[in-house]
Amino acid sequence: MKVSELYKNYLIPAAVFQGVIIGGGYATGREIVEYVTQWGPLAGLMSLFTIVVVFGITISVSFFISKKFQVYDYRLFLKKLLGGYWVIYEVLFSMLLIVVIAVIASAATETAKQVVEIPASWLLGLIGLVIVGCCFLGRNFIQKTLLIWTLGVMFALMLILAFVLNTNYENILANLSSANGVNNDYKGAVISGLKFAVYNSALLPVLVYCAREIDNPKSAIKSGLFTGLLGTIPAIFLHITFLSYYPDITTKSVPTFWLLGALTLESYTEFYVALLFGTLVLTAVGILHGVNERINGWLLDKNKNRLSALGGACVTGTLIILSLLLSNLGIVNLVAKGYGSLAFGFFMIFTIPIFFQGFKLLWGYFNE
C-alpha cells in the first residue's frame, strides 16, 4: 500500500473520528469511568468489546454510504439514510452538539481550577477564540492538525500506560482477578458500552466529509473498521490504567488528571494540561466544521454561495456561547445525564437504520 493511500483512506478518517471523541471523554477520562470502568474490571472489558463492534459497523456503513452515493455533508447523507425522518436527527444532533462542547468547556474549567492560575472565564474565552480561528482556516488545516494531535495523544496515553504497568501492575492484575471479590456488572457494562458507542457514532454524519478522499466504497468499509478499532484503543489503555487505582478513581471529575497526581508525575502534568486543552479545542473544531459543511450544502441547494470564512466563524461562535452557558452544570452531570438521555433517541433514529440499511446496501453491492 502506498503512503498516500494509507494517509487518505485510513489515517485521516481515523484521526478525525478519534479527535472528535477524544476531547470530552478520552483526554479527561470521565466518559471511560462512566461507561466502562465503573462496571467492574472484567465487565469493563465487555463494555469495550461492545464499543469496538458497534463503532466498526456504524463507521463502515456510514463511510460506505457516503462514498457510494457521493454525499459528503451530513444533510445529504441523512436524507439518503433516513429519507424524510432526517429532521428528527437534526433536532437530536443540535442538542448533542451543545452538550459535547459543554463537556469540553466544563473539563477545561475543572482543570483550570487545579492547574492554570487564571480565571476560568478567561480560559474559556481563549478556548472559544482558538476554536473559531481553527474553523476559519478550513478543512485541510483541521484534518492535518487533528492527525498530528491525535498521534500525540496516543503517544501520551501509551507513556502513562507503560508507567502504570511498570509500577502498579500488581493492583491491575488483582482487580482483573475474579478471586478478589470485585463486583462485575456485565449486563450493565454491555448496555453502557452500547450507549457510549451509540451517542459517539451518532456524530458520524457530521464527519462524513473526511470520506471524500477515500478511493472507493470497498476501501470505505475497510477504513470504517480501522477507524472503529483505532477509536477504541485509547479507551482500552485508559481502562487498564484506571484499574491501578480502582475503585477510587471512579469518583473523580477529571480522572486522567487525578491519576497523574496519584502517580507522582508532576513533571508530566504541564505537558498533559497543554495536550488536554489542545485536544478539547480540536474536538470542538472537528464537530463544528461538519456543521459548517452542512450549512454549505443547504446553501448550494438554494443556488447561493458557500459560507465565507467569516460567516463560518460566526456560526461557530454562536454555538460555542450556547455551550458555555450549559457547561455550568459540571462535567459529571453532563456526561452521565446529558449523553445518557440522548443515547436512546440516536439508537432509534440512527443506529437501527444504519444496521438495516447498511446490510441491505452491502448485500446489493457485493452481489452486483
Side-chain angles (χ1 to χ4, degrees), residues 101-157:
I101 300 176
V103 168
I104 290 168
S106 183
T109 304
E110 291 279 351
T111 308
K113 290 177 182 177
Q114 302 176 57
V115 180
V116 185
E117 295 181 0
I118 61 174
S121 58
W122 290 21
L123 184 64
L124 291 176
L126 177 61
I127 289 174
L129 288 174
V130 174
I131 291 171
V132 172
C134 288
C135 288
F136 180 83
L137 292 172
R139 178 165 60 93
N140 288 335
F141 174 82
I142 291 169
Q143 288 183 340
K144 291 176 182 177
T145 307
L146 277 170
L147 174 59
I148 294 170
W149 210 269
T150 297
L151 292 174
V153 171
M154 288 283 285
F155 180 69
L157 291 176

Side-chain angles (χ1 to χ4, degrees), residues 206-224:
V206 81
L207 305 178
V208 292
Y209 64 86
C210 66
R212 190 185 301 270
E213 304 301 326
I214 294 176
D215 287 338
N216 51 58
K218 188 173 182 180
S219 295
I221 296 171
K222 296 177 182 177
S223 175

Side-chain angles (χ1 to χ4, degrees), residues 249-313:
I249 200 166
T250 60
T251 63
K252 308 305 176 184
S253 297
V254 188
T256 312
F257 177 75
W258 178 86
L259 181 68
L260 293 176
L263 294 171
T264 64
L265 289 175
E266 287 80 3
S267 59
Y268 192 73
T269 301
E270 292 182 2
F271 169 71
Y272 167 74
V273 170
L275 203 61
L276 170 64
F277 285 125
T279 303
L280 297 175
V281 166
L282 289 174
T283 297
V285 168
I287 297 171
L288 291 169
H289 179 70
V291 173
N292 286 338
E293 289 285 310
R294 177 261 182 269
I295 294 173
N296 284 328
W298 179 80
L299 289 172
L300 292 174
D301 276 356
K302 300 294 183 182
N303 295 317
K304 297 182 179 180
N305 294 327
R306 292 170 60 90
L307 278 174
S308 65
L310 180 59

